[in-house]
Amino acid sequence: MNAPATWIEPPRRPLDPPPAVHAQSHGGGQFALLRQRRFAPFFWTQFLGAANDNLFKFAFTVLVTYQLQVQWLPAELAGLVIGALFILPFLLFSATSGQLADKLERRQMMIWLKRAEMGIMAIAAWAFFVQNIPVLLACIFLMGLQSTVFGPVKFAYLPQHLSERELTGGNGVVEMGTFVAILLGNLAGGLIIAVPEIGAHHVGFTCVGLAILGRVASHHIPASPAMDPGLSINWNPFTETWRNLQLARQTPVVFRSVLGISWMWFFGAVFLSLFPAFAKDVLHGDEQVASLLLVVFSIGIGTGSLLCEVLSRRHVEIGLVPLGAIGMTVFSVDLYFATRGLPPASGLGLGAFMAQAAHWRVLADLALLSLFAGLYSVPMYALIQMRSQPTHRARIIAANNILNALFMIASAVIAGALLQAGFTIPQMFLFVGLANAVVAFYIFMLVPEYLLRFVAWVASRFVYRFQVSGDEHIPTRGAAILACNHVSYVDAVLLMAASPRPIRFLMDHRIFQVPVLGWLFKLAKAIPIAPQKEDPAAYEAAFSAAAAVLREGDLLGIFPEGGITRDGTLQPFKGGIAKILVRANAEGLHVPVIPMALTHLWGSYFSRIERAQGEPTAMVKPFRRGLFNRVGLNVGAPVMAEDATPDGLRERVAGLMQ
């Protein structure tokens, strides 16, 4: 089928519900969302669904591995077959699912999906009663299909009901809930199916009960209008998958985030698939030890997911992604060294395993590498949700799900090949940890925004104690000019830390000659500007580049004083900002100006407080004010372009400096 043109060219200004929809109190942190109707019913719907999936899968796996002898399904292959059947629909139907999630009302979709789950689980319950393995395998495939359709709806729902300041916290709670549900589902499935004679019956009853509870929870989900109700469905999964990937590639940072998330699933799948053999052959533990590894891994992921909001000041902070990647590599490599020289043993129970101090290092490495995996993945999910076109968001998430499935399959194939080639399990962990460093470096070089935000995050938390007031005035979409006083060489870095979006700065060309900082600003694609008398061509080129930033709907950062203050006082504002506004107005752009003031930076290492040969100089005395100095940023209300005169803006910035 040929795709309609709207699939190639998204609407010029697709919007989520207006900010008033999200006008909720931020008190109570991310867990306060669990008391609100816009989030709680959705959370419990997906939580119960994830728990049901994993209870069913694990109980079925135990049934055919330990309790039944099925000639055509050997016990050693049962887990692989069940896992493959569950993941197969993600490859076949994710593209169609993304289209449906963009075209249809999302509350009704979730209700119908929970009804389908009730029907599937009713059939599965009957199959458990009579121990009909083919029907149970068919139900595994159908539950995979139900999860495939639910995935794009789930991640497209959140940005429809949460503000930018809530998106990281909401994703963290969902991610935590999902891994807790997986853990509880696996544990419950193993315990229930082990009940002599009637375990299979109880599994069937439990699955139906969880499906009914999920259906009840879905009834209370608020209305979620379709983003593209006129969309024509392309039923060809191959051409649609390709188009969805092209949609994602229109925004490079979104596409790289999709690849980054898929790599995280590759990374995690290696560990999860090797846990049973790792527990038995390396740690010399029994089944309880294998379960402990899964518990520790799940708790680590959940903890890292929840920490994202705390560490990000309730913004979508992709600076956490490099931090997560570093932690994943460090503790994967250390896990390899932690397994060397373990004392010889065999068949250790949980108590005996925990009694040996060497095993605590192994558990700590697992907990920390999974915690950092949570820090790595949650900001990427939130960024995809925030930066994707709302009318195409579900389809981009569907493409993400397809790539996730492909990367997980690739991890199984590559891990199997390496083990066959003679790799030990600890060497596999070392290999994956080092590969993670290479992949992360490659992604961060392709999309420098990750690295820039990481530098800004470190500077605002470990060099300074950075406090921001009024950051809700920084727009989360659309063009705007950020006008700020200029106190030090790291002003731009601190503004990057405060903004939920990238900022293109117009900066004095001489700052690009400063070691390290100059490289950093080049990486940030800052626009160098030289005085008109010194270099007229460079002067005009800078204003042309600034106009292009606004045309593209991005944020433009300007220091209207024209240079770093030499005495700590606010200098007169030059006319460059007026020239930019006049050019924007001539192009039909009515761009607001956001006044901003950095405070308490004068006197820091990066300010020009020192004297060298009679001239004000910066970066002379390291630690001249010690560490963790308190600095701040005050953000004022937007000023409309027609009111944004240099003198008027200077007065507003001066007022914010008080």
Side-chain angles (χ1 to χ4, degrees), residues 99-129:
Q99 295 176 85
L100 293 173
D102 277 334
K103 180 179 178 63
L104 303 178
E105 205 273 347
R106 288 163 184 168
R107 174 180 180 271
Q108 289 300 318
M109 278 194 71
M110 285 188 267
I111 288 174
W112 279 104
L113 287 169
K114 300 313 284 186
R115 287 174 177 168
E117 182 181 336
M118 290 168 58
I120 296 167
M121 287 308 181
I123 297 171
W126 171 83
F128 270 118
F129 292 168

Side-chain angles (χ1 to χ4, degrees), residues 492 495-496 503-507 525-528 556-559:
L495 294 189
M496 282 191 282
I503 306 172
R504 293 283 305 278
F505 288 96
L506 195 66
M507 304 179 71
K525 297 181 180 179
I527 303 167
L556 178 67
I558 296 180
F559 300 104

